Amino acid sequence: MLKKFIDNSRAKSPWIMHFDCGSCNGCDIEVLACLTPMYDVERFGVVNVGNPKHADVLLVTGTVNPRNAKVLRNIYDQMPDPKGVIAIGACGLSGGIFRECYNVLGGIDKVIPVDIYVPGCPAKPEAIIDGVVAALAKFEGLKG
Amino acid sequence: MARTIIPFGPQHPVLPEPLHLKLVCEDEIVKEAIPALGYVHRGLEKLAEIRDFNQMIQVVERVCGICSMLHSQCYCQGIEEMMGVEIPERAKYLRTVWSELHRMHSHLLWLGLFADAFGFESLFMQFWRIRERIMDLNEATAGSRVIVSVNVVGGVRQDLTPEQCSWILTEVAQAGKEIKAIQSTMLSDYTVCKRTKGVAALTKEQAYELGAAGPTLRASGVAQDMRQLKYAAFDKIDFEPVVEYDGDCYARGVVRFREALQSIDIIRAAISGMPQGDISVPVKGNPEGEIITRVEQPRGECMYYMKGNGTKFLERVRIRTPTFANVPPLIAFMPGLELADVPVAVLSIDPCISCTER
């Protein structure tokens, strides 16, 4: 019964965590803007947490380089299953404008599996909220 | 006493960006802070070899999303000076308007994050609510909320209609009113003062010798602001650099608070003094020679060095950003702090890691 309760709550109230993986800040401030009064995702039950062990959904912005790939992998491994990953912005999808830089490996999916891709440079808050909602489909299936 | 090393970052709730500090602690007192950088390094200066000088504008805008307007402004000023292009007066005023809107949104963002760092979450929400007005202005006038992308070599891409100008004036006046409404909470609340006054103080001499920049420097009593160089329309617009004398976290907060209000006056002056005319001039040829340009970003002085060789590709672009200048002061004032004050102290220099590492 407890498991059923947790599975139902997860789809209703996902806890998100944000990691900046070498982006230009453009997408990061838009992720933060989602949490503030104008967009206020907390009214949908979305809570921002700082600890990967508490998180259901990981929002990643920016390009991957060899140094932060390890950190990203580490954070992803610490999150408990089931978990969703959302790549945000052109950089997170493919490397974007920086894809030809010498220190850029490419998009987030080079390191960890990605469920939802949110395009935009930077992605707008509406698009990010839409991405989070789309990621919940993964948890819907687990509902008892 | 035994020493422990506590890692701060790269993923930390208070930091939106991956900055890593190794804090060497004795009990709860920080004895030394060792920075480790490189999490955001992309190597975008080297893109100048494969993107021509017009395409590079899009690249330098993405050095940092928060101050993108000022990066492209600095870059375009340099290229224009190298090629001997005189841009129209109206374009200079338009650049001033957008750059001051950027300064406002950056300072409001920082004030919010700063409030969050000492645990005052409702103040954080208030600042970000006011900030959305500026973001709406950016979106309506330039088409994008964060990266406005209005600069081109030879002028600007977008014009402001008289209706948009009057709308900007009413919106910033309203934002100013709302900022003043929370002034007493930000500047004289007991808890805010308790957490920020006297924390991480930097004397005038220290700040000058360590090469601090921007609000960090001005909070220590040095009246240095790159807008005094009179780039863009600042030769016509009068302003005084905001200076505080205590050099602690509180003084840095006050400087940014007052600068956000000062930007409103500058926007008002720029819009009222804006002449009619073209917004850009056609540019022919390729840049040749060397140039150094500087602008005042929300975080301080930003310097661009560029070298052109007569082809459409620049030979070298070197960017020196304010956070890079503010890391030595950060390392200097960390020893002696309590561990709980570290987030406030780190945020007080307004670290922008994607600028620093590029």
Side-chain angles (χ1 to χ4, degrees):
Chain A
M1 200 183 95
L2 184 65
K3 189 178 176 304
K4 194 177 152 194
F5 175 71
I6 292 174
D7 284 343
N8 285 344
S9 331
R10 196 181 286 117
K12 271 278 183 209
S13 168
W15 285 18
I16 60 165
M17 199 190 82
H18 165 232
F19 178 60
D20 174 354
C21 193
S23 93
C24 75
N25 280 343
C27 297
D28 306 309
I29 57 177
E30 294 295 62
V31 169
L32 277 175
C34 290
L35 303 165
T36 51
M38 180 67 99
Y39 296 98
D40 197 15
V41 287
E42 242 172 78
R43 66 201 154 125
F44 304 126
V46 180
V47 180
N48 185 36
V49 291
N51 187 341
K53 293 191 175 79
H54 299 165
D56 301 312
V57 180
L58 178 64
L59 305 179
V60 194
T61 54
T63 58
V64 177
N65 69 30
R67 190 168 160 95
N68 65 25
K70 276 181 275 180
V71 183
L72 179 62
R73 183 81 229 175
N74 196 349
I75 288 175
Y76 179 76
D77 289 342
Q78 284 184 50
M79 284 169 62
D81 278 321
K83 52 193 167 188
V85 177
I86 304 174
I88 294 171
C91 302
L93 269 53
S94 65
I97 197 165
F98 305 118
R99 65 192 177 280
E100 287 139 337
C101 290
Y102 58 84
N103 201 28
V104 169
L105 298 177
I108 305 297
D109 51 10
K110 292 266 163 63
V111 184
I112 57 174
V114 175
D115 298 306
I116 303 290
Y117 297 86
V118 179
C121 186
K124 292 181 71 169
E126 293 94 334
I128 296 170
I129 295 171
D130 192 41
V132 173
V133 173
L136 296 184
K138 194 176 179 182
F139 303 136
E140 284 288 334
L142 298 167
K143 266 166 114 172
Chain B
M1 193 166 181
R3 291 194 163 195
T4 22
I5 296 181
I6 295 178
F8 182 79
Q11 194 273 324
H12 191 280
V14 68
L15 292 172
E17 290 183 277
L19 165 70
H20 184 55
L21 287 174
K22 284 178 191 145
L23 303 173
V24 183
C25 296
E26 261 179 27
D27 206 4
E28 279 218 0
I29 306 295
V30 178
K31 289 288 167 193
E32 199 186 350
I34 306 160
L37 300 170
Y39 292 100
V40 198
H41 181 60
R42 294 157 292 195
L44 60 82
E45 287 171 4
K46 207 158 167 59
L47 278 181
E49 291 171 8
I50 50 168
R51 304 277 164 86
D52 70 39
F53 72 93
N54 284 315
Q55 292 170 330
M56 267 310 274
I57 298 174
Q58 271 75 49
V59 176
V60 296
E61 273 171 352
R62 283 154 182 85
V63 171
C64 167
I66 307 176
C67 34
S68 64
M69 169 72 202
L70 291 125
H71 274 288
S72 59
Q73 187 181 353
C74 192
Y75 175 85
C76 290
Q77 275 176 15
I79 299 280
E80 281 151 10
E81 206 178 324
M82 235 193 289
M83 296 171 76
V85 178
E86 183 60 38
I87 69 164
E89 274 301 296
R90 189 175 174 85
K92 289 184 183 173
Y93 276 83
L94 288 168
R95 280 184 183 176
T96 311
V97 171
W98 272 302
S99 65
E100 290 307 311
L101 282 174
H102 254 75
R103 192 181 317 280
M104 262 185 94
H105 105 69
S106 171
H107 280 340
L108 289 171
L109 176 144
W110 179 85
L111 285 161
L113 289 178
F114 189 57
D116 195 39
F118 51 71
F120 203 152
E121 202 167 327
S122 59
L123 194 56
F124 163 64
M125 295 291 179
Q126 291 297 335
F127 277 119
W128 279 64
R129 182 178 57 79
I130 301 167
R131 178 178 167 272
E132 284 296 330
R133 287 187 187 275
I134 316 293
M135 307 311 279
D136 285 347
L137 287 178
N138 278 346
E139 190 171 9
T141 54
S144 176
R145 279 164 56 85
V146 179
I147 295 179
V148 291
S149 203
V150 288
N151 284 310
V152 285
V153 176
V156 289
R157 208 193 295 270
Q158 304 266 356
D159 202 355
L160 292 177
T161 61
E163 294 83 50
Q164 281 176 326
C165 286
S166 64
W167 183 51
I168 290 177
L169 289 178
T170 49
E171 282 288 299
V172 294
Q174 189 60 34
K177 217 183 277 174
E178 288 174 11
I179 296 171
K180 282 194 183 118
I182 48 176
Q183 180 166 14
S184 62
T185 315
M186 182 67 203
L187 302 183
S188 48
D189 188 75
Y190 176 77
T191 43
V192 176
C193 294
K194 201 82 182 158
R195 284 301 303 272
T196 54
K197 271 191 182 167
V199 174
L202 209 59
T203 62
K204 188 176 178 180
E205 289 72 32
Q206 272 179 316
Y208 188 75
E209 273 173 23
L210 292 165
T216 314
L217 181 64
R218 290 196 284 279
S220 294
V222 184
Q224 192 196 61
D225 191 317
M226 286 307 129
R227 287 177 282 179
Q228 290 164 311
L229 291 175
K230 305 201 181 302
Y231 64 85
F234 285 106
D235 51 346
K236 310 266 172 28
I237 296 169
D238 209 24
F239 87 104
E240 282 283 311
V242 175
V243 183
E244 289 288 325
Y245 297 93
D246 294 340
D248 53 3
C249 289
Y250 179 77
R252 285 170 213 141
V254 176
V255 167
R256 291 189 175 98
F257 193 92
R258 286 175 53 199
E259 278 190 6
L261 290 172
Q262 187 192 41
S263 288
I264 297 174
D265 297 336
I266 296 176
I267 291 169
R268 206 173 280 145
I271 286 183
S272 64
M274 199 183 288
Q276 294 297 323
D278 290 335
I279 54 165
S280 64
V281 289
V283 178
K284 285 208 180 74
N286 292 319
E288 193 167 10
E290 281 178 294
I291 203 82
I292 285 177
T293 47
R294 293 186 288 177
V295 295
E296 180 74 16
Q297 278 188 352
R299 289 163 188 75
E301 170 194 356
C302 170
M303 188 201 88
Y304 270 62
Y305 164 80
M306 282 171 286
K307 189 176 180 189
N309 52 9
T311 65
K312 62 179 183 173
F313 298 104
L314 292 171
E315 209 166 286
R316 179 86 172 96
V317 177
R318 169 82 175 92
I319 309 168
R320 186 181 187 273
T321 58
T323 308
F324 182 75
N326 280 334
V327 168
L330 173 71
I331 307 305
F333 64 57
M334 289 292 263
L337 285 182
E338 280 191 39
L339 199 55
D341 285 333
V342 169
V344 177
V346 170
L347 263 183
S348 75
I349 65 157
D350 198 355
C352 178
I353 309 303
S354 69
C355 273
T356 316
E357 298 175 354
R358 298 179 296 284

